[in-house]
Amino acid sequence: MRRLVILCAALSVVACARSAGSVSTATPEGAAAAARKEASEAGFLSWQGEHASALPLFRRAWERGSRDRFRAYDAACSAAVLQEDTEALLWLGRAADLGFDEVSRFREDPRLARVRRLPGYAVIEQRVAEAEAKALRATDPVLRDELLARAMENAKVRQVVFESRLRGETARKKLAEVDVRNTAWLAEVVARTGWPDAALVGPRASNAAWVLASSSDHDVAFQARVITLMEQAVARGQQDSASRLASLTDSVLLNQGKPQRYGTKLTVVDGVVVPKALEDSAGVDARRAGVGLPPLAESIASHTELLKSMSLLE
């Protein structure tokens, strides 16, 4: 059970960016929820290598309005594995249209080897490279690069823990060490320069700073200070995601012994995924909508599906 609680906490960081859920088609909102659920299911199937099952779901979700740059990229990879080269190129173009900005994935992903030889691919890659250059534009490139390197280390060690199904004690100790070290470093940066916002380090590195702060549950006072600084950055347009701020706000509230506000933190009780302590549960979906998050039921369904796919939930 402890492993499931920790895993849900880790997944909550991702949920503020990408979540989907239950089917309901009685209203336009329900239809959108159904499309997001299909996109989420497609993403899980693609992750598990079940590309033939994933691709039709990607297509249907797209046609029904669920359009996300990461899902488009996943769909491109599934199509490429199935040797649907022209369709893979179409999906890559869609990902670029939606602002995909990780050009190294385009260039290095082995699943896209066939597609990279197609006429028209180079133009799409160039668009992604230009988007990445914009995301990396910074007045302090040294600080930008350090933030990105630390966020990459953060991701790698969490991936090791994730792949061990949280059973690797050595990996978990390493994770704790990395978090403590990064928190101390980021606190020094904030004391010296203020919050590393997009104007200072670029959008990608500013979000990397949020990742590090979100991994600082052992220092709630620091996280609370970061919330104030992030609120100011969001207000002046130099932090691009209110949902990330909502996620960090929930972390701080829970760590202070208070109920969370947006329901971004989930846990498992008696084999069921549920939100941790929540204030004003009747109004949570309205608050979530205000920061760009889907309804809470969708996030719960998405987490449940992932845990089941990992055989961690009956």
Side-chain angles (χ1 to χ4, degrees):
M1 179 59 68
R2 174 62 176 165
R3 294 198 302 270
L4 290 178
V5 171
I6 295 171
L7 182 55
C8 278
L11 293 176
S12 294
V13 174
V14 179
C16 75
R18 291 204 282 177
S19 63
S22 57
V23 175
S24 172
T25 58
T27 66
E29 292 79 8
R36 289 193 295 267
K37 182 177 188 298
E38 287 180 329
S40 180
E41 290 175 351
F44 289 134
L45 289 168
S46 180
W47 173 60
Q48 293 172 326
E50 298 180 26
H51 302 290
S53 298
L55 191 55
L57 286 176
F58 279 129
R59 293 168 182 157
R60 191 157 61 241
W62 180 271
E63 291 303 319
R64 297 174 72 178
S66 180
R67 300 181 177 185
D68 172 272
R69 58 183 172 172
F70 300 106
R71 296 299 187 208
Y73 179 85
D74 292 341
C77 292
S78 286
V81 169
L82 296 171
Q83 300 187 16
E84 298 286 352
D85 295 346
T86 301
E87 183 176 357
L89 196 64
L90 172 66
W91 282 110
L92 288 180
R94 289 170 171 173
D97 290 341
L98 293 168
F100 196 90
D101 60 5
E102 299 177 44
V103 73
S104 62
R105 294 176 67 179
F106 267 53
R107 292 171 177 169
E108 299 169 8
D109 196 320
R111 295 170 296 181
L112 298 177
R114 293 168 55 90
V115 182
R116 285 192 283 268
R117 298 194 294 267
L118 293 178
Y121 167 82
V123 173
I124 299 174
E125 183 188 288
Q126 181 59 33
R127 289 169 56 203
V128 174
E130 291 169 357
E132 182 170 72
K134 183 177 180 180
L136 293 174
R137 194 174 299 152
T139 56
D140 189 339
V142 174
L143 178 56
R144 174 202 63 198
D145 292 347
E146 183 67 17
L147 279 164
L148 293 173
R150 287 176 179 268
M152 180 63 72
E153 180 188 28
N154 177 295
K156 286 181 177 179
V157 71
R158 276 171 167 73
Q159 183 65 24
V160 172
V161 173
F162 183 83
E163 290 175 351
S164 75
R165 305 298 195 266
L166 301 177
R167 296 183 179 91
E169 189 61 30
T170 299
R172 289 170 61 182
K173 288 182 179 179
K174 172 67 173 177
L175 176 61
E177 292 171 1
V178 167
D179 286 347
V180 169
R181 184 170 69 248
N182 284 338
T183 297
W185 175 81
L186 184 60
E188 291 179 0
V189 169
V190 169
R192 185 175 69 252
T193 68
W195 180 248
D197 62 17
L200 182 66
V201 297
R204 183 178 295 180
S206 186
N207 286 330
W210 165 79
V211 169
L212 299 184
S214 297
S215 303
S216 301
D217 286 342
H218 58 280
D219 192 341
V220 183
F222 173 66
Q223 285 186 323
R225 183 182 178 197
V226 167
I227 286 176
T228 300
L229 297 175
M230 280 189 65
E231 286 174 340
Q232 296 168 355
V234 169
R236 63 178 181 266
Q238 292 298 328
Q239 186 80 30
D240 70 354
S241 179
S243 65
R244 292 179 171 88
L245 177 57
S247 177
L248 187 59
T249 297
D250 278 353
S251 291
V252 170
L253 288 171
L254 289 169
N255 287 332
Q256 291 175 335
K258 302 173 184 177
Q260 61 178 324
R261 188 167 300 149
Y262 300 96
T264 62
K265 309 305 174 188
L266 306 178
T267 187
V268 177
V269 178
D270 296 329
V272 178
V273 178
V274 297
K276 293 185 178 182
L278 183 64
E279 71 174 46
D280 181 25
S281 58
V284 66
D285 282 344
R287 293 193 298 276
R288 288 172 66 90
V291 295
L293 289 169
L296 180 56
E298 294 187 35
S299 183
I300 290 172
S302 180
H303 279 70
T304 299
E305 186 174 356
L306 180 55
L307 290 175
K308 286 181 175 179
S309 74
M310 298 171 64
S311 300
L312 289 173
L313 202 63
E314 296 298 329

